[in-house]
Amino acid sequence: MKNFLYNDMEFSVAKTSSGWDINRTLPNGDFAVVGASLFKDLGEVDAGIRALALVRKVFPVGIKIVGPNVSHPNMVGDLKIIGPDVSHPNFIYWNKDSTSFAK
Amino acid sequence: MEIKGSVALITGGDDGIGEHVAKFFAKRGAKVAIVGMHQENIDRVVKEIKEMGGEVIGVQANVISEADTAKFIKATLEAFGKLNIAVTCAGIIHDGMMLTLDKETGKVSRKMGLDRWQPVIDVNLTGTFLTLRDAAEAMVNGGWEGLLVPISSVNKAGQVGQINYSSTKVADALMPKIIIGEFLMRGIRNIRCVGIAPGYTATSMLTGMNQDALKALLADVHLGRLLEPDEIANMIGHCVENSALNATTIEITGGLCYPHGIAK
């Protein structure tokens, strides 16, 4: 079994009879399964690389901006009404993980 | 297309019909990516599929976000290397009348606001569109055989109190014809699209409702009971295996009729 830290979360990659399982350690010490029976034909090193790549995609690091989208106001006469706009959630992700930034 | 060995993506796979569809595919030997809004539900379903011996990943995502949609498609490809089946089970309801009248004056006292309209449109319609669009993009670019399955509802026929929900579900039901027509024009022959329109199904949404109201609903169902989610999953499985099914939306209702036995 191999452990790694990503974005302050601890993950483990463990070999099973049907491939590799990736688990995420929860704050209470339990673990949740991120993926099961993956990367069947890979050895430990390659499975670890693929596991990290998958974890980066499942848990992308970044900021989530929640708020109105000012480019889509509802017009009432010449008044622009900018309310909560769930159709434009404005998710923006940085393309680097937390290890790129000072703690 | 064979289910065994294929890769299935299910939005709303952390609960309700989607959870049963995910488990059905896992049992039949497909690799499954579960997408849901609630991490705890995702963790539970992923764990249960792992205990069944299935190959699975779980991704928390909001289907109304293009970035999140790209995220779960990329995660699926990273884990399994391809995508063959996309089922859009993610859906919500916010029922209400378009107009409410004051009992004394007979004038309009309340209108359905965008707060009740827009989220349903976003999740049920825009979310379905984004998932099908990006799944189809992956299938076309990867050259993989595929099936797109928008989940409609029998209430696409129009249900009082559900102007928002019924509007999205009739649009979802129309998608297979448009998508396949477009694929035909573009020479894309290896991807099919079949919508599923379930009737009243035994999910927590219905089993938790007022039992008298539930009894009244079932009075119009010839089968006389709620559909089991596994019966919906079975139908989707049949759509995967029967390549003659294409460009249509199939109702599975147990024989739902309007009052007095008029077919709905």
Side-chain angles (χ1 to χ4, degrees), chain A residues 68-85 87-88, chain B residues 114:
Chain A
N69 186 331
V70 294
S71 63
H72 292 83
N74 291 318
M75 301 300 294
V76 178
D78 59 355
L79 186 64
K80 290 180 179 176
I81 307 289
I82 300 170
D85 189 344
S87 63
H88 298 90
Chain B
L114 285 179

mmCIF file with all atom_site columns, all heavy atoms in Angstrom, chain A residues 68-85 87-88, chain B residues 114:
data_model
loop_
_atom_site.group_PDB
_atom_site.id
_atom_site.type_symbol
_atom_site.label_atom_id
_atom_site.label_alt_id
_atom_site.label_comp_id
_atom_site.label_asym_id
_atom_site.label_entity_id
_atom_site.label_seq_id
_atom_site.pdbx_PDB_ins_code
_atom_site.Cartn_x
_atom_site.Cartn_y
_atom_site.Cartn_z
_atom_site.occupancy
_atom_site.B_iso_or_equiv
_atom_site.pdbx_formal_charge
_atom_site.auth_seq_id
_atom_site.auth_comp_id
_atom_site.auth_asym_id
_atom_site.auth_atom_id
_atom_site.pdbx_PDB_model_num
ATOM 1   N N   . PRO A 1 68  ? -23.659 36.415 -8.739  1.00 0.00 ? 68  PRO A N   1
ATOM 2   C CA  . PRO A 1 68  ? -24.385 36.751 -9.967  1.00 0.00 ? 68  PRO A CA  1
ATOM 3   C C   . PRO A 1 68  ? -23.439 36.918 -11.142 1.00 0.00 ? 68  PRO A C   1
ATOM 4   O O   . PRO A 1 68  ? -22.277 37.268 -10.963 1.00 0.00 ? 68  PRO A O   1
ATOM 5   C CB  . PRO A 1 68  ? -25.053 38.081 -9.622  1.00 0.00 ? 68  PRO A CB  1
ATOM 6   C CG  . PRO A 1 68  ? -24.189 38.654 -8.553  1.00 0.00 ? 68  PRO A CG  1
ATOM 7   C CD  . PRO A 1 68  ? -23.653 37.505 -7.774  1.00 0.00 ? 68  PRO A CD  1
ATOM 8   N N   . ASN A 1 69  ? -23.955 36.645 -12.300 1.00 0.00 ? 69  ASN A N   1
ATOM 9   C CA  . ASN A 1 69  ? -23.173 36.858 -13.518 1.00 0.00 ? 69  ASN A CA  1
ATOM 10  C C   . ASN A 1 69  ? -23.583 38.209 -14.111 1.00 0.00 ? 69  ASN A C   1
ATOM 11  O O   . ASN A 1 69  ? -24.695 38.359 -14.616 1.00 0.00 ? 69  ASN A O   1
ATOM 12  C CB  . ASN A 1 69  ? -23.446 35.722 -14.504 1.00 0.00 ? 69  ASN A CB  1
ATOM 13  C CG  . ASN A 1 69  ? -22.558 35.814 -15.730 1.00 0.00 ? 69  ASN A CG  1
ATOM 14  O OD1 . ASN A 1 69  ? -22.138 36.897 -16.129 1.00 0.00 ? 69  ASN A OD1 1
ATOM 15  N ND2 . ASN A 1 69  ? -22.268 34.681 -16.319 1.00 0.00 ? 69  ASN A ND2 1
ATOM 16  N N   . VAL A 1 70  ? -22.679 39.153 -14.026 1.00 0.00 ? 70  VAL A N   1
ATOM 17  C CA  . VAL A 1 70  ? -23.034 40.524 -14.414 1.00 0.00 ? 70  VAL A CA  1
ATOM 18  C C   . VAL A 1 70  ? -23.214 40.664 -15.926 1.00 0.00 ? 70  VAL A C   1
ATOM 19  O O   . VAL A 1 70  ? -23.735 41.671 -16.391 1.00 0.00 ? 70  VAL A O   1
ATOM 20  C CB  . VAL A 1 70  ? -21.976 41.535 -13.927 1.00 0.00 ? 70  VAL A CB  1
ATOM 21  C CG1 . VAL A 1 70  ? -21.965 41.595 -12.407 1.00 0.00 ? 70  VAL A CG1 1
ATOM 22  C CG2 . VAL A 1 70  ? -20.598 41.192 -14.471 1.00 0.00 ? 70  VAL A CG2 1
ATOM 23  N N   . SER A 1 71  ? -22.790 39.669 -16.673 1.00 0.00 ? 71  SER A N   1
ATOM 24  C CA  . SER A 1 71  ? -22.936 39.772 -18.131 1.00 0.00 ? 71  SER A CA  1
ATOM 25  C C   . SER A 1 71  ? -24.323 39.320 -18.603 1.00 0.00 ? 71  SER A C   1
ATOM 26  O O   . SER A 1 71  ? -24.636 39.399 -19.777 1.00 0.00 ? 71  SER A O   1
ATOM 27  C CB  . SER A 1 71  ? -21.852 38.952 -18.832 1.00 0.00 ? 71  SER A CB  1
ATOM 28  O OG  . SER A 1 71  ? -21.997 37.595 -18.521 1.00 0.00 ? 71  SER A OG  1
ATOM 29  N N   . HIS A 1 72  ? -25.141 38.822 -17.688 1.00 0.00 ? 72  HIS A N   1
ATOM 30  C CA  . HIS A 1 72  ? -26.489 38.391 -18.062 1.00 0.00 ? 72  HIS A CA  1
ATOM 31  C C   . HIS A 1 72  ? -27.529 39.049 -17.158 1.00 0.00 ? 72  HIS A C   1
ATOM 32  O O   . HIS A 1 72  ? -28.258 38.354 -16.444 1.00 0.00 ? 72  HIS A O   1
ATOM 33  C CB  . HIS A 1 72  ? -26.617 36.870 -17.969 1.00 0.00 ? 72  HIS A CB  1
ATOM 34  C CG  . HIS A 1 72  ? -25.819 36.141 -18.986 1.00 0.00 ? 72  HIS A CG  1
ATOM 35  N ND1 . HIS A 1 72  ? -24.481 35.875 -18.832 1.00 0.00 ? 72  HIS A ND1 1
ATOM 36  C CD2 . HIS A 1 72  ? -26.155 35.644 -20.191 1.00 0.00 ? 72  HIS A CD2 1
ATOM 37  C CE1 . HIS A 1 72  ? -24.040 35.232 -19.894 1.00 0.00 ? 72  HIS A CE1 1
ATOM 38  N NE2 . HIS A 1 72  ? -25.026 35.078 -20.734 1.00 0.00 ? 72  HIS A NE2 1
ATOM 39  N N   . PRO A 1 73  ? -27.631 40.374 -17.163 1.00 0.00 ? 73  PRO A N   1
ATOM 40  C CA  . PRO A 1 73  ? -28.636 41.007 -16.302 1.00 0.00 ? 73  PRO A CA  1
ATOM 41  C C   . PRO A 1 73  ? -30.040 40.850 -16.877 1.00 0.00 ? 73  PRO A C   1
ATOM 42  O O   . PRO A 1 73  ? -30.199 40.731 -18.098 1.00 0.00 ? 73  PRO A O   1
ATOM 43  C CB  . PRO A 1 73  ? -28.212 42.483 -16.319 1.00 0.00 ? 73  PRO A CB  1
ATOM 44  C CG  . PRO A 1 73  ? -27.534 42.655 -17.633 1.00 0.00 ? 73  PRO A CG  1
ATOM 45  C CD  . PRO A 1 73  ? -26.870 41.344 -17.954 1.00 0.00 ? 73  PRO A CD  1
ATOM 46  N N   . ASN A 1 74  ? -31.015 40.813 -15.986 1.00 0.00 ? 74  ASN A N   1
ATOM 47  C CA  . ASN A 1 74  ? -32.405 40.908 -16.448 1.00 0.00 ? 74  ASN A CA  1
ATOM 48  C C   . ASN A 1 74  ? -32.722 42.397 -16.575 1.00 0.00 ? 74  ASN A C   1
ATOM 49  O O   . ASN A 1 74  ? -32.541 43.151 -15.620 1.00 0.00 ? 74  ASN A O   1
ATOM 50  C CB  . ASN A 1 74  ? -33.356 40.259 -15.433 1.00 0.00 ? 74  ASN A CB  1
ATOM 51  C CG  . ASN A 1 74  ? -33.165 38.767 -15.389 1.00 0.00 ? 74  ASN A CG  1
ATOM 52  O OD1 . ASN A 1 74  ? -33.006 38.119 -16.411 1.00 0.00 ? 74  ASN A OD1 1
ATOM 53  N ND2 . ASN A 1 74  ? -33.172 38.211 -14.185 1.00 0.00 ? 74  ASN A ND2 1
ATOM 54  N N   . MET A 1 75  ? -33.181 42.820 -17.746 1.00 0.00 ? 75  MET A N   1
ATOM 55  C CA  . MET A 1 75  ? -33.433 44.240 -17.972 1.00 0.00 ? 75  MET A CA  1
ATOM 56  C C   . MET A 1 75  ? -34.885 44.566 -17.643 1.00 0.00 ? 75  MET A C   1
ATOM 57  O O   . MET A 1 75  ? -35.807 43.907 -18.113 1.00 0.00 ? 75  MET A O   1
ATOM 58  C CB  . MET A 1 75  ? -33.140 44.604 -19.431 1.00 0.00 ? 75  MET A CB  1
ATOM 59  C CG  . MET A 1 75  ? -31.706 44.333 -19.878 1.00 0.00 ? 75  MET A CG  1
ATOM 60  S SD  . MET A 1 75  ? -30.482 45.233 -18.944 1.00 0.00 ? 75  MET A SD  1
ATOM 61  C CE  . MET A 1 75  ? -30.873 46.925 -19.415 1.00 0.00 ? 75  MET A CE  1
ATOM 62  N N   . VAL A 1 76  ? -35.094 45.557 -16.821 1.00 0.00 ? 76  VAL A N   1
ATOM 63  C CA  . VAL A 1 76  ? -36.434 46.110 -16.571 1.00 0.00 ? 76  VAL A CA  1
ATOM 64  C C   . VAL A 1 76  ? -36.332 47.578 -16.960 1.00 0.00 ? 76  VAL A C   1
ATOM 65  O O   . VAL A 1 76  ? -35.796 48.403 -16.222 1.00 0.00 ? 76  VAL A O   1
ATOM 66  C CB  . VAL A 1 76  ? -36.847 45.947 -15.102 1.00 0.00 ? 76  VAL A CB  1
ATOM 67  C CG1 . VAL A 1 76  ? -38.217 46.579 -14.872 1.00 0.00 ? 76  VAL A CG1 1
ATOM 68  C CG2 . VAL A 1 76  ? -36.854 44.480 -14.710 1.00 0.00 ? 76  VAL A CG2 1
ATOM 69  N N   . GLY A 1 77  ? -36.812 47.882 -18.163 1.00 0.00 ? 77  GLY A N   1
ATOM 70  C CA  . GLY A 1 77  ? -36.546 49.216 -18.707 1.00 0.00 ? 77  GLY A CA  1
ATOM 71  C C   . GLY A 1 77  ? -35.041 49.349 -18.901 1.00 0.00 ? 77  GLY A C   1
ATOM 72  O O   . GLY A 1 77  ? -34.411 48.492 -19.510 1.00 0.00 ? 77  GLY A O   1
ATOM 73  N N   . ASP A 1 78  ? -34.478 50.397 -18.357 1.00 0.00 ? 78  ASP A N   1
ATOM 74  C CA  . ASP A 1 78  ? -33.025 50.542 -18.470 1.00 0.00 ? 78  ASP A CA  1
ATOM 75  C C   . ASP A 1 78  ? -32.319 50.095 -17.187 1.00 0.00 ? 78  ASP A C   1
ATOM 76  O O   . ASP A 1 78  ? -31.126 50.320 -17.007 1.00 0.00 ? 78  ASP A O   1
ATOM 77  C CB  . ASP A 1 78  ? -32.650 51.990 -18.823 1.00 0.00 ? 78  ASP A CB  1
ATOM 78  C CG  . ASP A 1 78  ? -33.164 52.960 -17.780 1.00 0.00 ? 78  ASP A CG  1
ATOM 79  O OD1 . ASP A 1 78  ? -33.888 52.505 -16.865 1.00 0.00 ? 78  ASP A OD1 1
ATOM 80  O OD2 . ASP A 1 78  ? -32.843 54.155 -17.868 1.00 0.00 ? 78  ASP A OD2 1
ATOM 81  N N   . LEU A 1 79  ? -33.082 49.466 -16.301 1.00 0.00 ? 79  LEU A N   1
ATOM 82  C CA  . LEU A 1 79  ? -32.499 49.012 -15.041 1.00 0.00 ? 79  LEU A CA  1
ATOM 83  C C   . LEU A 1 79  ? -31.972 47.581 -15.195 1.00 0.00 ? 79  LEU A C   1
ATOM 84  O O   . LEU A 1 79  ? -32.672 46.705 -15.685 1.00 0.00 ? 79  LEU A O   1
ATOM 85  C CB  . LEU A 1 79  ? -33.585 49.052 -13.957 1.00 0.00 ? 79  LEU A CB  1
ATOM 86  C CG  . LEU A 1 79  ? -33.161 48.761 -12.526 1.00 0.00 ? 79  LEU A CG  1
ATOM 87  C CD1 . LEU A 1 79  ? -32.192 49.818 -12.012 1.00 0.00 ? 79  LEU A CD1 1
ATOM 88  C CD2 . LEU A 1 79  ? -34.404 48.683 -11.642 1.00 0.00 ? 79  LEU A CD2 1
ATOM 89  N N   . LYS A 1 80  ? -30.718 47.374 -14.792 1.00 0.00 ? 80  LYS A N   1
ATOM 90  C CA  . LYS A 1 80  ? -30.145 46.022 -14.860 1.00 0.00 ? 80  LYS A CA  1
ATOM 91  C C   . LYS A 1 80  ? -30.340 45.332 -13.505 1.00 0.00 ? 80  LYS A C   1
ATOM 92  O O   . LYS A 1 80  ? -29.823 45.793 -12.501 1.00 0.00 ? 80  LYS A O   1
ATOM 93  C CB  . LYS A 1 80  ? -28.655 46.102 -15.177 1.00 0.00 ? 80  LYS A CB  1
ATOM 94  C CG  . LYS A 1 80  ? -28.354 46.548 -16.591 1.00 0.00 ? 80  LYS A CG  1
ATOM 95  C CD  . LYS A 1 80  ? -26.857 46.596 -16.835 1.00 0.00 ? 80  LYS A CD  1
ATOM 96  C CE  . LYS A 1 80  ? -26.586 47.024 -18.265 1.00 0.00 ? 80  LYS A CE  1
ATOM 97  N NZ  . LYS A 1 80  ? -25.140 47.181 -18.528 1.00 0.00 ? 80  LYS A NZ  1
ATOM 98  N N   . ILE A 1 81  ? -31.090 44.232 -13.522 1.00 0.00 ? 81  ILE A N   1
ATOM 99  C CA  . ILE A 1 81  ? -31.303 43.459 -12.292 1.00 0.00 ? 81  ILE A CA  1
ATOM 100 C C   . ILE A 1 81  ? -30.334 42.271 -12.323 1.00 0.00 ? 81  ILE A C   1
ATOM 101 O O   . ILE A 1 81  ? -30.370 41.450 -13.239 1.00 0.00 ? 81  ILE A O   1
ATOM 102 C CB  . ILE A 1 81  ? -32.750 42.923 -12.206 1.00 0.00 ? 81  ILE A CB  1
ATOM 103 C CG1 . ILE A 1 81  ? -33.763 44.051 -12.398 1.00 0.00 ? 81  ILE A CG1 1
ATOM 104 C CG2 . ILE A 1 81  ? -32.961 42.180 -10.894 1.00 0.00 ? 81  ILE A CG2 1
ATOM 105 C CD1 . ILE A 1 81  ? -33.857 45.029 -11.274 1.00 0.00 ? 81  ILE A CD1 1
ATOM 106 N N   . ILE A 1 82  ? -29.481 42.203 -11.334 1.00 0.00 ? 82  ILE A N   1
ATOM 107 C CA  . ILE A 1 82  ? -28.492 41.119 -11.303 1.00 0.00 ? 82  ILE A CA  1
ATOM 108 C C   . ILE A 1 82  ? -28.740 40.291 -10.048 1.00 0.00 ? 82  ILE A C   1
ATOM 109 O O   . ILE A 1 82  ? -28.311 40.651 -8.959  1.00 0.00 ? 82  ILE A O   1
ATOM 110 C CB  . ILE A 1 82  ? -27.056 41.674 -11.317 1.00 0.00 ? 82  ILE A CB  1
ATOM 111 C CG1 . ILE A 1 82  ? -26.852 42.493 -12.591 1.00 0.00 ? 82  ILE A CG1 1
ATOM 112 C CG2 . ILE A 1 82  ? -26.052 40.541 -11.247 1.00 0.00 ? 82  ILE A CG2 1
ATOM 113 C CD1 . ILE A 1 82  ? -25.567 43.280 -12.606 1.00 0.00 ? 82  ILE A CD1 1
ATOM 114 N N   . GLY A 1 83  ? -29.462 39.219 -10.230 1.00 0.00 ? 83  GLY A N   1
ATOM 115 C CA  . GLY A 1 83  ? -29.790 38.370 -9.087  1.00 0.00 ? 83  GLY A CA  1
ATOM 116 C C   . GLY A 1 83  ? -28.902 37.141 -9.068  1.00 0.00 ? 83  GLY A C   1
ATOM 117 O O   . GLY A 1 83  ? -28.052 36.982 -9.945  1.00 0.00 ? 83  GLY A O   1
ATOM 118 N N   . PRO A 1 84  ? -29.097 36.270 -8.089  1.00 0.00 ? 84  PRO A N   1
ATOM 119 C CA  . PRO A 1 84  ? -28.354 35.006 -8.093  1.00 0.00 ? 84  PRO A CA  1
ATOM 120 C C   . PRO A 1 84  ? -28.627 34.265 -9.394  1.00 0.00 ? 84  PRO A C   1
ATOM 121 O O   . PRO A 1 84  ? -29.768 34.190 -9.832  1.00 0.00 ? 84  PRO A O   1
ATOM 122 C CB  . PRO A 1 84  ? -28.950 34.249 -6.906  1.00 0.00 ? 84  PRO A CB  1
ATOM 123 C CG  . PRO A 1 84  ? -29.555 35.308 -6.061  1.00 0.00 ? 84  PRO A CG  1
ATOM 124 C CD  . PRO A 1 84  ? -30.017 36.387 -6.984  1.00 0.00 ? 84  PRO A CD  1
ATOM 125 N N   . ASP A 1 85  ? -27.606 33.804 -10.039 1.00 0.00 ? 85  ASP A N   1
ATOM 126 C CA  . ASP A 1 85  ? -27.758 33.218 -11.369 1.00 0.00 ? 85  ASP A CA  1
ATOM 127 C C   . ASP A 1 85  ? -27.160 31.823 -11.372 1.00 0.00 ? 85  ASP A C   1
ATOM 128 O O   . ASP A 1 85  ? -25.970 31.649 -11.602 1.00 0.00 ? 85  ASP A O   1
ATOM 129 C CB  . ASP A 1 85  ? -27.042 34.120 -12.391 1.00 0.00 ? 85  ASP A CB  1
ATOM 130 C CG  . ASP A 1 85  ? -27.353 33.688 -13.817 1.00 0.00 ? 85  ASP A CG  1
ATOM 131 O OD1 . ASP A 1 85  ? -27.841 32.564 -13.991 1.00 0.00 ? 85  ASP A OD1 1
ATOM 132 O OD2 . ASP A 1 85  ? -27.085 34.460 -14.736 1.00 0.00 ? 85  ASP A OD2 1
ATOM 133 N N   . SER A 1 87  ? -27.527 29.549 -13.411 1.00 0.00 ? 87  SER A N   1
ATOM 134 C CA  . SER A 1 87  ? -27.202 28.959 -14.715 1.00 0.00 ? 87  SER A CA  1
ATOM 135 C C   . SER A 1 87  ? -25.780 29.297 -15.152 1.00 0.00 ? 87  SER A C   1
ATOM 136 O O   . SER A 1 87  ? -25.274 28.766 -16.119 1.00 0.00 ? 87  SER A O   1
ATOM 137 C CB  . SER A 1 87  ? -28.197 29.413 -15.791 1.00 0.00 ? 87  SER A CB  1
ATOM 138 O OG  . SER A 1 87  ? -28.103 30.804 -15.964 1.00 0.00 ? 87  SER A OG  1
ATOM 139 N N   . HIS A 1 88  ? -25.139 30.203 -14.428 1.00 0.00 ? 88  HIS A N   1
ATOM 140 C CA  . HIS A 1 88  ? -23.750 30.551 -14.754 1.00 0.00 ? 88  HIS A CA  1
ATOM 141 C C   . HIS A 1 88  ? -22.923 30.459 -13.485 1.00 0.00 ? 88  HIS A C   1
ATOM 142 O O   . HIS A 1 88  ? -22.627 31.476 -12.855 1.00 0.00 ? 88  HIS A O   1
ATOM 143 C CB  . HIS A 1 88  ? -23.662 31.958 -15.347 1.00 0.00 ? 88  HIS A CB  1
ATOM 144 C CG  . HIS A 1 88  ? -24.413 32.088 -16.629 1.00 0.00 ? 88  HIS A CG  1
ATOM 145 N ND1 . HIS A 1 88  ? -25.730 32.450 -16.661 1.00 0.00 ? 88  HIS A ND1 1
ATOM 146 C CD2 . HIS A 1 88  ? -24.040 31.870 -17.903 1.00 0.00 ? 88  HIS A CD2 1
ATOM 147 C CE1 . HIS A 1 88  ? -26.146 32.472 -17.914 1.00 0.00 ? 88  HIS A CE1 1
ATOM 148 N NE2 . HIS A 1 88  ? -25.148 32.113 -18.681 1.00 0.00 ? 88  HIS A NE2 1
ATOM 149 N N   . LEU B 2 114 ? -38.714 33.003 -10.485 1.00 0.00 ? 114 LEU B N   1
ATOM 150 C CA  . LEU B 2 114 ? -37.577 32.358 -11.144 1.00 0.00 ? 114 LEU B CA  1
ATOM 151 C C   . LEU B 2 114 ? -36.793 31.486 -10.166 1.00 0.00 ? 114 LEU B C   1
ATOM 152 O O   . LEU B 2 114 ? -36.100 30.566 -10.589 1.00 0.00 ? 114 LEU B O   1
ATOM 153 C CB  . LEU B 2 114 ? -36.644 33.412 -11.759 1.00 0.00 ? 114 LEU B CB  1
ATOM 154 C CG  . LEU B 2 114 ? -37.140 34.065 -13.052 1.00 0.00 ? 114 LEU B CG  1
ATOM 155 C CD1 . LEU B 2 114 ? -36.137 35.098 -13.537 1.00 0.00 ? 114 LEU B CD1 1
ATOM 156 C CD2 . LEU B 2 114 ? -37.387 33.024 -14.136 1.00 0.00 ? 114 LEU B CD2 1
#
